[in-house]
Amino acid sequence: MPRPTPAQFCTGTLIVVLTTVALLAVSGATAVPAVTALVALAVALGVLATALLMAADRRRRSATREAPDRRRSEPLPAAQPTAPEYARQR
């Protein structure tokens, strides 16, 4: 299983922290079960964001790797002879 890059990890962590702060500020929750539910929701959102970033990075990397291979695998057009085939035989 691929691991997230440091940038993806930091982005996920930032999303978790900001979402937690925003949800707690908006909801005004003070009870432990409510705070726990909001933190769990924020963690799930951070994990989802990191997974989406990893998938986008994988797609981008595979697209850049395939592009040079496509150019190499295409056959070059054959040179057109200037004289008919029977004229070049010996």
Side-chain angles (χ1 to χ4, degrees):
M1 181 171 183
R3 294 184 180 195
T5 63
Q8 293 166 343
F9 183 77
C10 289
T11 303
T13 304
L14 182 67
I15 289 173
V16 168
V17 170
L18 291 178
T19 304
T20 302
V21 169
L23 287 174
L24 289 174
V26 169
S27 70
T30 56
V32 173
V35 171
T36 304
L38 292 176
V39 169
L41 178 65
V43 169
L45 185 63
V47 169
L48 177 66
T50 303
L52 291 175
L53 285 172
M54 289 174 61
D57 188 41
R58 248 183 277 135
R59 274 185 267 132
R60 191 176 336 115
R61 284 185 184 177
S62 67
T64 57
R65 286 182 187 158
E66 290 176 4
D69 293 341
R70 288 185 197 155
R71 287 186 220 135
R72 290 182 194 155
S73 65
E74 293 177 3
L76 296 174
Q80 296 294 328
T82 56
E85 183 68 29
Y86 63 86
R88 290 187 290 140
Q89 294 178 352
R90 289 186 182 197

